[in-house]
Amino acid sequence: MTDTINFTEADAASATALWAQDTGVLGEQSRRALLELIKGPYLSGVNTPALWSALLADETALRSRLHELFLDLVIDRVGEFAFVRNVSTTELKTPNTVRTAALTFLDTAMLLVLRQMLLAGEGEGRVIVGQDEVFEQLWVYRTPDRDEADFARRMNSSWLNMKNKLRVIHLAGADDRAEISPVLRLIVDADQIQAIGAEYRRIAEGGGGIDVDNEDSSDDTDEDVTA
C-alpha cells in the first residue's frame, strides 16, 4: 500500500513539473494566481481571466498553500476579485504576513470618499467618478497654512496612489474619470470606516488640525499590500 501511495504522489508531481527538479503540484496558471495573490493588492478576474479561472478551479489547494503562510483567501465571485489577509484566530499567535501600506492622511481620506461613492452608486452598475468630484470633498481638510496649489498637488499624488499603488480606481475614458473597483468595499471594511470616520469629521469641522504629510494612517488599510 505504501508503494502505491508513493508512486501516486510522485506521479502527480511529475505531471505538474515545470522544470527539472520541480516538486510543485500546482499547474502553471494556479501558481501564477497564487503569486498574484501574495504580491497583492488583489487578483482581478476582469484583468486576468486565465488566472481567475485557475483560482476557482484550484481554490481548495490554493487555500491550503495560503494557510501554510498564515493567510486567508477572500473571494468575491460576483465582483470577480480575490485578495489575501492575515489569518484571524484566538487559538494561537500568528505572524503578520500582510505588510501594512504606508498611507498619508489624504490617502486615507480619499479611500473613505471613494468607498462612500462606491456604496452610493453600486445599484447602478459600474461606479465612475470624476477626479474633481473626489477632490471637492477633500478640500475641507486644507488647513489655513497650506496654500491651494500645494494642497491640490498632494491630492493629485493621492489620486495616483489610488490608481497605481492600491489599484482601487481604473481610468475610464478621460484622464480625470475613473471607475471605482468593487474590491474597495472589502479591503476597507465597515469597522475601519467607523474607527476613523468620526476623527476625520472632527478635523473637517475645525476640531483640530493634522499634518497631511503624516503617514500614521498605515494601520487603517493593512489588507492593501501583501508580502
Side-chain angles (χ1 to χ4, degrees):
M1 180 64 70
T2 301
D3 291 339
T4 301
I5 294 174
N6 288 339
F7 174 78
T8 302
E9 291 175 348
D11 190 55
S14 175
T16 56
L18 302 179
W19 61 87
Q21 286 81 51
D22 176 19
T23 60
V25 296
L26 292 174
E28 179 181 356
Q29 292 303 309
S30 293
R31 297 187 198 198
R32 293 185 183 276
L34 179 62
L35 180 60
E36 188 75 8
L37 288 166
I38 293 175
K39 285 167 56 181
Y42 61 90
L43 186 156
S44 167
V46 174
N47 296 334
T48 54
L51 299 188
W52 178 254
S53 296
L55 167 66
L56 297 183
D58 264 349
E59 179 183 341
T60 300
L62 290 172
R63 283 190 185 277
S64 178
R65 296 294 181 277
L66 290 168
H67 284 165
E68 290 168 355
L69 298 175
F70 301 99
L71 289 170
D72 265 339
L73 174 62
V74 180
I75 299 178
D76 186 315
R77 288 174 170 78
V78 176
E80 293 193 356
F81 60 82
F83 63 94
V84 296
R85 61 188 175 193
N86 293 320
V87 167
S88 177
T89 177
T90 58
E91 298 175 53
L92 76 164
K93 185 176 180 180
T94 59
N96 288 326
T97 309
V98 172
R99 76 172 183 268
T100 299
L103 302 180
T104 66
F105 172 86
L106 274 181
D107 287 340
T108 310
M110 190 172 288
L111 277 176
L112 295 181
V113 169
L114 290 170
R115 187 180 186 277
Q116 183 180 37
M117 289 178 162
L118 174 67
L119 295 179
E122 271 189 323
E124 304 171 6
R126 298 172 62 197
V127 180
I128 297 176
V129 297
Q131 187 183 71
D132 288 346
E133 297 174 57
V134 178
F135 286 11
E136 183 179 357
Q137 297 195 43
L138 296 172
W139 279 109
V140 293
Y141 299 115
R142 184 177 74 88
T143 55
D145 62 329
R146 182 78 67 181
D147 67 66
E148 291 189 9
D150 181 65
F151 194 76
R153 181 178 63 81
R154 296 179 187 281
M155 286 195 293
N156 276 315
S157 177
S158 290
W159 182 263
L160 291 176
N161 279 342
M162 299 301 106
K163 181 177 68 173
N164 300 325
K165 181 179 179 180
L166 301 181
R167 290 164 46 200
V168 295
I169 60 174
H170 310 286
L171 289 182
D175 289 343
D176 63 345
R177 303 288 293 174
E179 178 181 356
I180 306 176
S181 171
V183 73
L184 184 54
R185 176 169 41 85
L186 292 182
I187 64 174
V188 182
D189 62 28
D191 290 339
Q192 293 170 323
I193 296 298
Q194 184 176 5
I196 60 182
E199 176 65 11
Y200 280 24
R201 285 192 295 272
R202 182 186 69 80
I203 294 167
E205 292 166 0
I210 190 166
D211 183 359
V212 297
D213 298 325
N214 187 16
E215 294 192 345
D216 63 358
S217 300
S218 59
D219 59 341
D220 293 332
T221 52
D222 63 357
E223 288 91 9
D224 291 339
V225 183
T226 58

